[in-house]
C-alpha cells in the first residue's frame, strides 16, 4: 500500500503507541443490530460475534442498531473490502431521521489494488452537511480489523481510529452553528456501489469480476445514553460518574497533538480550507481557533 512520503517513522510510532491504549469490549450482533436489507447478503456469524456485509452486481447490504442514542462513545472494529475495491463504499455512521436530520459519518471509499482507501468524514446538523474532511490511513485497513470510534457529547464530536483522534467538530452554537444535541440517532452501516463518484470522481468503475465484495465487523461497543419512550437512560444517572466520563470528555494536550500530526500528514481534504467552494466566506465554525 502506498503512503505519503512525508510521513515520518516517529509519527507512525506515535500513532501505534496511542492505539494500544484503547480497550474495546465485545457486543453481540444478534442483540445489538438488525439486518435491514440485502436479501441474505448480510450475515451474522460466530454466535453473534461477527457480522459481514456483501455487495454484488445485484445488490449491496446493510444493518442498523436496535437502539437509538442521544450522546455516547461508539466503537466498532471493521475490516474493509480487500483487493480491487474501486467503486465500492462502506458507510458506517450515526443518523436521525427526517429533513432536518443530524448525522455523523465515516465512509470508506474503495480504490484500485495497492492504492490507499480514502476515509471520508462528515457532520450534519439540522439537515445541513457539507463539512467533509478526508484522510488516508497509516495502515492497510483490509489486512486486519481496526477500531473506528465516535465520541459524541454536548461539547464536541471526536472521530478516532485505533484510539487516535483524527477530527473534532466542536459545539459552535455560540456563533450560530447548529449542533447535534436533540435528535436521537441510530447506528447504520452499508456496503454499496457508488462508482458514479466514489473512486477518482467516478472515473474508475466497479470491476464486477471481483464480486462479491465483503466487509467484516466485530467488537461493537456503545457506552452511550439509550433513548427510549422519549427519555434518555442517562437522565437518572450521574453524568460525572466514571462510567459516563465520556459525557464531558474533551481532547487533552496530548490528544490534540496526535490529532494535529494526523491532519498534517494524512488529511487530503478539509472543507475549512476550500475557499473556492465557499466564495462568500468559509463556514462560521471554520473561523474558530
Amino acid at each position: 500500500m502506498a503512503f505519503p512520503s512525508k510521513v515520518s517513522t516517529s509519527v507512525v510510532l506515535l500513532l501505534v503507541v496511542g492505539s494500544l491504549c484503547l480497550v474495546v469490549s465485545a457486543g453481540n450482533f444478534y442483540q445489538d443490530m438488525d439486518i435491514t436489507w440485502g436479501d441474505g447478503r448480510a450475515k451474522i456469524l460466530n454466535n453473534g460475534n461477527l457480522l459481514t456485509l456483501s455487495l454484488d452486481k445485484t445488490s449491496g447490504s446493510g444493518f442498523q442498531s436496535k437502539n437509538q442514542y442521544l450522546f455516547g462513545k461508539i466503537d466498532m472494529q471493521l475490516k474493509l473490502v480487500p483487493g480491487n475495491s474501486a467503486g465500492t463504499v462502506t458507510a458506517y455512521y450515526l443518523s436521525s431521521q427526517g429533513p432536518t436530520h443530524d448525522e455523523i459519518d465515516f465512509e470508506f471509499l474503495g480504490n484500485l489494488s495497492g492504492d490507499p482507501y480514502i476515509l471520508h468524514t462528515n457532520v450534519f446538523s439540522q439537515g445541513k452537511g457539507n463539512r467533509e474532511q478526508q484522510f488516508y490511513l497509516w495502515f492497510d485497513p483490509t489486512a486486519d480489523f481496526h477500531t473506528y470510534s465516535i465520541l459524541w457529547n454536548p461539547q464536541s464530536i471526536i472521530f478516532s481510529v485505533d484510539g487516535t483522534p483524527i477530527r473534532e467538530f466542536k459545539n459552535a452554537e455560540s456563533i450560530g452553528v447548529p449542533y447535534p444535541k436533540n435528535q436521537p440517532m441510530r447506528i447504520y452501516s452499508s456496503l454499496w456501489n457508488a462508482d458514479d463518484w466514489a473512486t477518482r470522481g467516478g472515473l474508475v468503475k466497479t470491476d464486477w469480476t471481483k464480486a462479491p465484495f465483503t466487509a467484516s465487523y466485530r467488537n461493537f461497543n456503545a457506552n452511550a445514553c439509550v433513548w427510549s419512550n422519549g427519555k434518555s437512560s442517562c437522565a437518572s444517572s450521574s453524568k460525572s460518574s466514571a462510567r459516563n466520563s465520556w459525557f464531558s470528555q474533551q481532547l487533552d494536550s496530548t490528544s490534540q497533538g496526535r490529532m494535529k500530526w494526523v491532519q498534517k500528514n494524512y488529511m487530503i481534504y478539509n472543507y475549512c480550507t476550500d475557499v473556492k467552494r465557499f466564495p462568500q466566506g468559509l463556514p462560521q465554525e471554520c473561523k474558530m481557533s
Side-chain angles (χ1 to χ4, degrees):
M1 175 170 271
F3 296 119
S5 59
K6 63 178 178 176
V7 178
S8 70
T9 303
S10 61
V11 174
V12 175
L13 180 61
L14 177 67
L15 295 168
V16 170
V17 171
S19 72
L20 300 178
C21 299
L22 188 69
V23 178
V24 180
S25 58
N28 185 287
F29 287 115
Y30 285 122
Q31 297 173 4
D32 298 326
M33 301 293 171
D34 288 320
I35 292 172
T36 48
W37 63 286
D39 292 327
R41 291 172 180 82
K43 294 181 171 64
I44 298 176
L45 306 166
N46 295 0
N47 298 314
N49 293 317
L50 180 70
L51 191 155
T52 60
L53 295 182
S54 290
L55 163 70
D56 58 33
K57 198 168 187 177
T58 302
S59 177
S61 51
F63 64 88
Q64 69 181 42
S65 62
K66 294 180 185 289
N67 287 326
Q68 297 183 81
Y69 305 98
L70 187 62
F71 304 125
K73 172 73 160 53
I74 310 295
D75 303 307
M76 182 81 83
Q77 290 192 325
L78 279 74
K79 182 164 68 171
L80 299 179
V81 174
N84 181 359
S85 59
T88 72
V89 173
T90 305
Y92 162 57
Y93 59 102
L94 287 163
S95 183
S96 61
Q97 298 298 309
T100 59
H101 76 292
D102 297 333
E103 187 171 319
I104 305 169
D105 293 339
F106 277 116
E107 289 187 308
F108 303 90
L109 311 186
N111 220 325
L112 294 169
S113 299
D115 287 346
Y117 261 79
I118 291 174
L119 171 53
H120 175 100
T121 67
N122 203 352
V123 175
F124 287 75
S125 53
Q126 293 296 307
K128 179 183 179 297
N130 299 323
R131 299 185 176 102
E132 301 90 347
Q133 291 183 358
Q134 294 183 337
F135 306 82
Y136 288 138
L137 295 165
W138 51 92
F139 52 82
D140 179 354
T142 74
D144 203 352
F145 287 90
H146 292 268
T147 304
Y148 303 90
S149 305
I150 295 168
L151 172 67
W152 168 38
N153 65 28
Q155 295 80 41
S156 62
I157 295 164
I158 300 169
F159 297 77
S160 298
V161 178
D162 286 338
T164 296
I166 64 169
R167 175 179 185 177
E168 180 180 28
F169 181 80
K170 292 182 178 180
N171 185 334
E173 288 180 307
S174 62
I175 57 172
V177 180
Y179 183 79
K181 67 173 188 179
N182 297 314
Q183 301 186 68
M185 297 197 261
R186 291 188 195 275
I187 298 159
Y188 296 89
S189 190
S190 57
L191 175 56
W192 50 291
N193 178 45
D195 67 2
D196 56 332
W197 65 270
T199 306
R200 294 184 59 204
L203 293 177
V204 183
K205 301 301 182 182
T206 304
D207 182 355
W208 294 111
T209 67
K210 307 297 185 185
F213 304 97
T214 301
S216 302
Y217 301 74
R218 72 181 187 190
N219 288 349
F220 165 70
N221 188 62
N223 188 356
C225 302
V226 176
W227 186 264
S228 180
N229 298 318
K231 294 182 179 179
S232 166
S233 63
C234 293
S236 59
S237 63
S238 170
K239 291 171 182 174
S240 62
S241 69
R243 188 177 73 84
N244 289 335
S245 60
W246 55 264
F247 197 89
S248 57
Q249 182 177 337
Q250 299 185 56
L251 293 177
D252 60 20
S253 58
T254 301
S255 296
Q256 288 175 355
R258 288 161 65 199
M259 183 173 70
K260 287 176 182 177
W261 272 116
V262 172
Q263 294 183 351
K264 178 182 178 182
N265 292 283
Y266 295 99
M267 180 184 282
I268 57 173
Y269 177 79
N270 181 6
Y271 78 108
C272 276
T273 61
D274 192 345
V275 293
K276 290 183 180 178
R277 182 178 174 188
F278 301 102
Q280 304 305 315
L282 292 170
Q284 279 290 101
E285 67 269 18
C286 297
K287 299 168 188 175
M288 297 176 67
S289 57

